[in-house]
Amino acid sequence: MAETQTSVNVFTKLERVAKQAREVPELKFRTLAHHIDIDWLKEAYRRTRKDGAAGVDGQSAEEYAANLEENLQSLLNRAKSGTYRAPPVKRAYVPKGDGDQRPIGIPTFEDKVLQRAVVMLLEAVYEQDFLACSYGFRPGRSAHQALADVQRETVWMAGGWILEVDIRKFFDNLEHGKLRDIVRLRVLDGVLLRLIGKWLNAGVLEDGSVSYPDKGSPQGGVISPLLANIYLHQVLDLWFEREVKPRLSGKALLFRYADDAVFLFANEMDARRVLAVLGKRLERYGLTLHPLKTRLVNFRRPDRKGPHSSGAMHPETFDLLGFTHYWGKSRRGKWVVKRRTAKDRFTKALKRVVDWCKMNRHHEVRWQWQMLGRKLRGHFVYYGIIGNYEALARFRYEVIGAWRRWLDRRSQRARMNWEKMHRLLERYRLPRPTIGRPLPLLRAVRP
């Protein structure tokens, strides 16, 4: 009951801040940190994931919870007095789709709680400012909704020119000074600005030594996605909406999920003009376009390209959020934008499962089956969209093949041929592909 009342009190405060931000869009908030009290930190603790990896102090969520009241009161006192010291993040790496490694930073659990408390407050302000083109790491928005809007808008426009944008190592190159200036356009609260500065300058622990990069925001931090959205809202979204679109001759739309973005243009000349100036715009904020991954795609509907178009027989495709988008015919014979799992994402996901099968081949078969079932269901939840069943079925088939191969290598005497594998699958049935229900359109519905 007390926990429920705490959540209600925090929600009421958030609503007040959001209402003020919404009604006075030019307001600069000079006092916000006073909203953060012990109830606020309790709510932040409740919203913080408890199963994440430990930071540099090695403290788990369970250990922190053993003296929760004392820990949160101490955290509140240090945050308000300015004596809080943001610990370095622990460096870890996760594989990327292109074979490279993506660096992430793992904060301490206490740092996650405080970051969550600040995110809750800043979100109440910035959610009133963010535009409809932004989908990533926002309440009530998702990658699937971005994909649905891209598909529906493209079909409605009969296609057009797609500008695929890839910002090279965005999170590594985010300039601290520029970010502070952008935040100050809306928030002037000294406590919050100091905390953001401490997190940006906290340092990174790797191989036993701490380094202090002068730019970048570590991926993995609770506050990093929001800071990225604030940065790109100013750098990209507002610029395109207020300065670029009024100068274009045809319809144009932007779809952005964090640092992944595509532009859709009805007019080729508009697309080329934006491509020509986009790099210069990003350079002003310390960012650069990837020269190979940023490209202009003729994505007009095949029947609109004309007989002399080089893309008439072999339409181009573009990738967004793990899916390749292409034109195809519906069952009724109409042109629609279809999606399938992108090749690099398919390969990456399959490799993770194959490596897992190799590392765990000597564990109990029932346990392996349970874990593989979770992996397949997780894959189907994200990639299970209409039109992608074939890729899901192929993924399941490849997973079964990988499982059989590594079970076969458990012993020279008890080999696992396909006949035995089929019997095993009768007993341990792996989940089959499922297609999720389409999500509602977030942009304005067309007449």
Side-chain angles (χ1 to χ4, degrees):
M1 187 67 179
E3 182 177 301
T4 302
Q5 187 59 47
T6 296
S7 298
V8 170
N9 292 340
V10 171
F11 179 78
T12 302
K13 290 182 180 180
L14 288 172
E15 281 293 294
R16 289 197 199 114
V17 174
K19 184 175 184 291
Q20 192 175 14
R22 184 168 53 251
E23 293 179 348
V24 192
E26 69 280 2
L27 175 65
K28 294 185 178 183
F29 286 86
R30 298 181 180 276
T31 57
L32 279 173
H34 65 279
H35 291 293
I36 301 178
D37 54 18
I38 195 66
D39 283 346
W40 193 282
L41 286 184
K42 286 179 180 178
E43 179 64 15
Y45 166 81
R46 188 185 69 81
R47 297 187 187 189
T48 301
R49 281 185 56 186
K50 312 299 189 296
D51 57 349
V56 294
D57 61 356
Q59 187 179 45
S60 67
E62 290 183 0
E63 292 168 338
Y64 193 83
N67 294 297
L68 184 61
E69 291 282 347
E70 296 177 14
N71 288 334
L72 292 181
Q73 187 61 57
S74 171
L75 177 60
L76 179 63
N77 294 340
R78 285 176 283 140
K80 291 294 185 73
S81 65
T83 59
Y84 179 79
R85 297 185 62 183
V89 297
K90 185 167 67 175
R91 175 70 81 210
Y93 292 90
V94 295
K96 295 174 63 177
D98 56 6
D100 202 356
Q101 295 285 315
R102 184 190 304 276
I104 63 170
I106 304 173
T108 63
F109 182 77
E110 181 176 69
D111 208 38
K112 292 177 184 177
V113 173
L114 186 55
Q115 287 190 32
R116 177 59 63 194
V118 173
V119 165
M120 289 160 52
L121 198 48
L122 293 180
E123 241 177 24
V125 174
Y126 282 101
E127 275 301 310
Q128 318 313 313
D129 298 348
F130 290 155
L131 305 182
C133 62
S134 170
Y135 297 82
F137 306 105
R138 294 182 57 191
R141 288 174 168 255
S142 70
H144 282 180
Q145 288 169 325
L147 291 164
D149 283 354
V150 168
Q151 181 194 44
R152 294 172 189 176
E153 291 285 352
T154 307
V155 170
W156 186 82
M157 288 176 59
W161 293 82
I162 293 286
L163 176 56
E164 274 190 81
V165 176
D166 187 284
I167 302 175
R168 177 180 282 180
K169 296 184 177 180
F170 167 74
F171 283 92
D172 295 337
N173 293 311
L174 190 151
E175 288 198 358
H176 294 175
K178 296 284 188 184
L179 175 60
R180 291 191 186 96
D181 291 341
I182 291 172
V183 172
R184 288 192 186 101
L185 295 174
R186 195 63 154 130
V187 176
L188 292 174
D189 184 286
V191 173
L192 299 185
L193 292 176
R194 280 195 300 272
L195 285 173
I196 291 173
K198 288 178 180 181
W199 286 319
L200 291 175
N201 298 310
V204 177
L205 176 65
E206 185 173 11
D207 298 328
S209 61
V210 179
S211 60
Y212 296 91
D214 57 0
K215 59 182 180 179
S217 178
Q219 295 184 70
V222 175
I223 201 169
S224 293
L226 178 58
L227 294 180
N229 271 337
I230 293 172
Y231 202 76
L232 289 175
H233 170 71
Q234 185 70 29
V235 175
L236 205 57
D237 303 355
L238 283 180
W239 169 74
F240 182 69
E241 190 67 30
R242 296 180 179 177
E243 299 182 34
V244 175
K245 285 178 69 173
R247 294 179 169 88
L248 301 180
S249 59
K251 186 176 177 60
L253 295 170
L254 166 63
F255 304 88
R256 182 177 66 79
Y257 189 95
D259 59 329
D260 289 328
V262 296
F263 294 85
L264 170 61
F265 300 91
N267 185 288
E268 178 183 1
M269 187 56 65
D270 287 342
R272 296 194 180 279
R273 287 172 60 196
V274 172
L275 177 58
V277 300
L278 181 59
K280 298 175 184 177
R281 171 67 180 181
L282 294 178
E283 285 176 7
R284 289 178 55 189
Y285 293 87
L287 304 174
T288 57
L289 290 173
H290 195 294
L292 300 179
K293 296 181 181 179
T294 299
R295 65 193 189 103
L296 193 58
V297 177
N298 181 356
F299 200 69
R300 288 177 295 170
R301 204 170 70 192
D303 63 333
R304 295 289 184 94
K305 289 186 176 182
H308 302 294
S309 172
S310 60
M313 297 302 295
H314 302 285
E316 294 186 68
T317 66
F318 70 92
D319 287 356
L320 177 67
L321 299 174
F323 290 91
T324 296
H325 296 64
Y326 63 99
W327 284 103
K329 289 288 189 73
S330 69
R331 292 181 179 179
R332 297 181 178 180
K334 295 183 179 181
W335 285 108
V336 295
V337 174
K338 297 187 175 184
R339 289 83 53 89
R340 60 174 178 263
T341 309
K343 288 183 179 179
D344 61 335
R345 295 295 185 93
F346 186 99
T347 302
K348 174 184 174 182
L350 183 59
K351 185 180 184 303
R352 285 200 302 266
V353 176
V354 171
D355 292 343
W356 184 90
C357 290
K358 176 182 178 180
M359 295 296 295
N360 295 278
R361 64 187 183 275
H362 294 297
H363 284 279
E364 181 188 4
V365 171
R366 180 178 179 81
W367 179 81
Q368 292 186 50
W369 162 69
Q370 291 173 338
M371 297 304 294
L372 285 173
R374 293 179 186 175
K375 295 178 186 298
L376 281 173
R377 279 188 287 270
H379 186 87
F380 296 158
V381 164
Y382 185 76
Y383 290 101
I385 64 175
I386 295 173
N388 198 38
Y389 187 88
E390 183 179 343
L392 301 183
R394 186 161 65 90
F395 185 79
R396 180 180 184 271
Y397 174 80
E398 295 289 351
V399 167
I400 290 173
W403 192 23
R404 186 203 67 81
R405 285 194 301 275
W406 287 108
L407 288 177
D408 185 52
R409 299 188 185 189
R410 296 204 325 169
S411 170
Q412 291 293 329
R413 289 176 293 181
R415 306 307 296 265
M416 179 62 71
N417 56 33
W418 274 109
E419 182 180 350
K420 291 182 179 179
M421 189 66 189
H422 287 309
R423 290 201 299 268
L424 184 144
L425 291 173
E426 284 294 320
R427 182 178 180 185
Y428 298 110
R429 296 179 182 274
L430 288 173
R432 295 189 175 276
T434 54
I435 301 298
R437 297 179 62 182
L439 292 171
L441 183 67
L442 287 185
R443 290 182 182 270
V445 177
R446 298 298 172 193

